Amino acid sequence: MTTWLNMSLQDGASPIMEQLVFFHDHVLMIMLMITTTVSYMMITLFRNKLTSRFMLEGQMIETTWTIAPAIILVFIAMPSLRLLYLMDEVQNPTLTLKAVGHQWYWSYEYSDFTKLEFDSYMIPQEEQQESTFRLLDTDNRIVLPMNSPIRMIVTAADVLHSWTIPSLGVKTDATPGRLNQTSFSISRPGILYGQCSEICGANHSFMPITIESVPAKYFINWVSKMSE
């Protein structure tokens, strides 16, 4: 999760998010080089007192500053397109989780198991403990196995919602009457936090998402316990 004075992206908890962070840094370095070059040229022009009476055109410099931006855009577009296709790829999932958005809570269904479904509400402030986070912790956490391809199906029962986990690089709209699908794989154990990212009414700020990533054996034990 994000922390105080954090100026960059959250630490990636999935391969896709790690690639997104790398792409962010890649584009940032290109922007830094462009900003440095343009700033140097502007400062040089402001400080230069010399003028030329004979320089009416510059074919070479005009050709250069037309081709150079096109080449830079290619270096940005190629990894961007690669990431877009990777994010849209759905592998053979080991687990399917369905999320249904309501005003103002989430319902979850583990489609591969019978009668394994629950509602997830935000913990009220007066019931919170010292180990919980305000506006982020829920009474029923999603438990998912790490290092496993997971298919996520998202929909809504009333208005538009958005199921978002920043550290996984996942943001999927929940639309009434429509099933949206995404996939991800959690690469490390821990607790991941997210929130509804679509303005959905008065209590839009109180729809947190909490995922607990555990090894496969602990997930099987949790499923057995929940199915009793």
Side-chain angles (χ1 to χ4, degrees):
M1 62 176 292
T2 187
T3 55
W4 291 110
L5 301 178
N6 187 8
M7 299 296 292
S8 59
L9 300 172
Q10 297 185 26
D11 292 337
S14 68
I16 290 295
M17 186 58 191
E18 292 173 1
Q19 291 293 318
L20 286 171
V21 173
F22 292 151
F23 177 67
H24 169 267
D25 296 341
H26 168 72
V27 175
L28 210 60
M29 288 305 299
I30 294 177
M31 291 175 59
L32 179 62
M33 290 187 290
I34 294 173
T35 304
T36 304
T37 305
V38 172
S39 300
Y40 171 77
M41 294 176 66
M42 290 182 65
I43 293 172
T44 304
L45 287 172
F46 282 129
R47 297 183 63 180
N48 184 20
K49 304 298 183 182
L50 303 177
T51 56
S52 175
R53 295 185 297 119
F54 304 103
M55 185 175 177
L56 300 179
E57 60 179 339
Q59 298 283 347
M60 182 59 68
I61 189 65
E62 289 181 4
T63 304
T64 302
W65 70 40
T66 301
I67 295 176
I71 297 174
I72 293 172
L73 287 177
V74 170
F75 277 97
I76 295 176
M78 295 306 292
S80 174
L81 289 173
R82 171 180 167 272
L83 260 179
L84 283 173
Y85 278 99
L86 283 175
M87 293 174 68
D88 202 39
E89 184 73 21
V90 178
Q91 302 175 351
N92 293 327
T94 59
L95 182 68
T96 299
L97 177 65
K98 181 180 179 181
V100 182
H102 304 269
Q103 289 183 311
W104 288 272
Y105 64 96
W106 294 98
S107 297
Y108 297 102
E109 304 173 10
Y110 288 77
S111 304
D112 301 291
F113 307 98
T114 57
K115 298 182 180 179
L116 184 50
E117 55 187 51
F118 54 83
D119 297 331
S120 181
Y121 291 86
M122 184 191 72
I123 299 178
Q125 188 169 349
E126 58 272 10
E127 298 180 12
Q128 285 189 338
Q129 302 174 354
E130 293 185 357
S131 59
T132 58
F133 293 97
R134 177 178 175 269
L135 300 181
L136 287 177
D137 263 300
T138 57
D139 54 355
N140 291 314
R141 293 174 175 174
I142 310 167
V143 180
L144 294 174
M146 56 180 286
N147 296 325
S148 301
I150 296 168
R151 175 172 57 191
M152 192 76 204
I153 298 176
V154 184
T155 186
D158 35 47
V159 298
L160 289 174
H161 301 279
S162 185
W163 198 85
T164 306
I165 303 291
S167 56
L168 293 178
V170 174
K171 184 178 186 295
T172 306
D173 288 339
T175 308
R178 179 186 177 95
L179 294 177
N180 290 328
Q181 177 177 277
T182 186
S183 64
F184 57 87
S185 176
I186 307 175
S187 55
R188 56 182 170 84
I191 300 175
L192 313 174
Y193 295 96
Q195 289 177 303
C196 176
S197 298
E198 188 75 44
I199 297 177
C200 55
N203 292 330
H204 158 68
S205 302
F206 311 119
M207 288 185 63
I209 304 163
T210 310
I211 295 179
E212 187 172 350
S213 172
V214 297
K217 62 177 182 180
Y218 293 105
F219 174 74
I220 295 173
N221 293 337
W222 177 81
V223 169
S224 302
K225 181 180 178 180
M226 292 292 291
S227 302
E228 291 178 355

